[in-house]
Each structure stands twice: as structure tokens, then as C-alpha cells.
């Protein structure tokens, strides 16, 4: 009972992706997105370590996540990605208030290889997220 609309745009020095999620439910749902990368991920701004100990949704995918770190997020938050070849990027997400952000490791191929991920979400009937990725200088 959730629909999604997405748009992508190449920007000067980067990339932008906008996702809008709508539900027909009368009950709030967990609405969000995930970004996978081989780059190391570190918090940059707008994130506070989650003192309550919230967890990502329990499903067949998240069951394999390791080293999960949870954060409370402002409406605009960012991460620094440090990539092979000494390249760095700033990943910035703007979305609704009361977001939760999870940084973790997921299995990759060939096993036992892993990749890093960031999962971000809010609870509600509708949510829009704008993700921007730009080279960090």
C-alpha cells in the first residue's frame, strides 16, 4: 500500500535523487531509502547518536546487517564518504523532521565481502527525501 515517485538529476559536481513515498494506509508506515557504497561512511552534520536504541525494520534484508549505528536526524543531515583512490564525497539528505538514520555493513559478493550502507526513514503517511552527492574538497 505504498507508492513511490523518483527523479534523478546530474548536477554540477554531483548527483541528485528525489524520492516521494505515499501510502494509502490510515496507519503511519516506516518510509525511507537506502544508499549502498564501498566508501567508508562517517557522520558530518545534523546527526545525533540515538540514545533510545532504535532498530531498523526487521526483515530478511536487515537480518544480515552488521555493525549498526543509529542516529536521530534533523531535516537536513550529511555524511562524508571516503572512497578508494583518496576521493571524498559529501552525501546530504533533506527530508521530513523526526528522521532515523542507520549506518551499517551489508553482505556483498563474493562472500565474505561487505559494503557500507546508510538507511534513513521517518514514520508517516507521506514523505519526500532529496539526496545530493557531491565531491568533497
Amino acid at each position: 500500500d505504498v507508492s513511490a515517485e523518483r527523479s534523478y538529476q546530474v548536477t554540477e559536481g554531483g548527483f541528485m535523487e528525489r524520492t516521494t513515498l505515499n501510502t494509502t494506509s490510515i496507519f503511519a508506515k516506516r518510509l525511507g531509502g537506502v544508499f549502498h557504497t564501498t566508501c567508508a561512511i562517517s557522520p558530518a552534520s545534523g546527526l545525533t547518536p540515538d540514545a533510545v536504541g532504535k532498530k531498523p525494520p526487521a526483515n530478511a534484508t536487515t537480518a544480515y546487517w552488521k555493525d549498526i549505528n543509529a542516529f536521530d536526524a534533523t531535516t537536513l543531515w550529511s555524511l562524508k564518504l571516503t572512497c578508494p583512490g583518496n576521493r571524498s564525497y559529501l552525501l546530504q539528505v533533506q527530508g521530513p523532521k523526526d528522521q532515523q538514520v542507520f549506518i551499517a555493513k551489508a553482505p556483498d559478493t563474493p562472500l565474505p565481502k561487505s559494503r557500507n550502507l546508510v538507511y534513513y526513514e521517518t514514520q508517516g503517511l507521506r514523505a519526500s527525501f532529496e539526496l545530493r552527492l557531491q565531491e568533497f574538497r
Side-chain angles (χ1 to χ4, degrees):
D1 59 352
V2 176
S3 63
E5 290 181 32
R6 289 187 125 166
S7 63
Y8 302 90
Q9 180 180 359
V10 175
T11 62
E12 186 174 324
F15 173 85
M16 188 271 298
E17 180 264 338
R18 183 176 292 123
T19 300
T20 301
L21 304 163
N22 289 291
T23 179
T24 57
S25 174
I26 59 170
F27 302 105
K29 300 286 185 182
R30 291 176 101 154
L31 304 171
V34 65
F35 180 86
H36 293 262
T37 181
T38 57
C39 303
I41 301 173
S42 56
S45 67
L47 297 171
T48 305
D50 176 37
V52 179
K54 294 180 182 137
K55 307 263 187 227
N59 59 45
T61 301
T62 62
Y64 295 97
W65 291 2
K66 304 281 187 218
D67 303 329
I68 302 169
N69 292 294
F71 299 88
D72 292 316
T74 60
T75 57
L76 178 63
W77 52 272
S78 61
L79 302 170
K80 183 179 178 188
L81 307 179
T82 305
C83 304
N86 205 24
R87 300 204 53 143
S88 295
Y89 297 88
L90 185 67
L91 184 142
Q92 193 173 52
V93 175
Q94 185 165 4
K97 64 179 184 171
D98 300 324
Q99 292 179 61
Q100 290 294 302
V101 176
F102 301 91
I103 298 172
K105 291 191 176 297
D108 202 357
T109 57
L111 288 174
K113 195 173 175 183
S114 66
R115 65 182 177 269
N116 298 310
L117 68 89
V118 57
Y119 169 71
Y120 49 95
E121 69 172 16
T122 192
Q123 292 196 23
L125 301 176
R126 181 181 192 283
S128 289
F129 298 93
E130 183 175 290
L131 181 146
R132 292 183 176 273
L133 184 66
Q134 296 186 77
E135 192 164 4
F136 188 78
R137 299 176 195 257

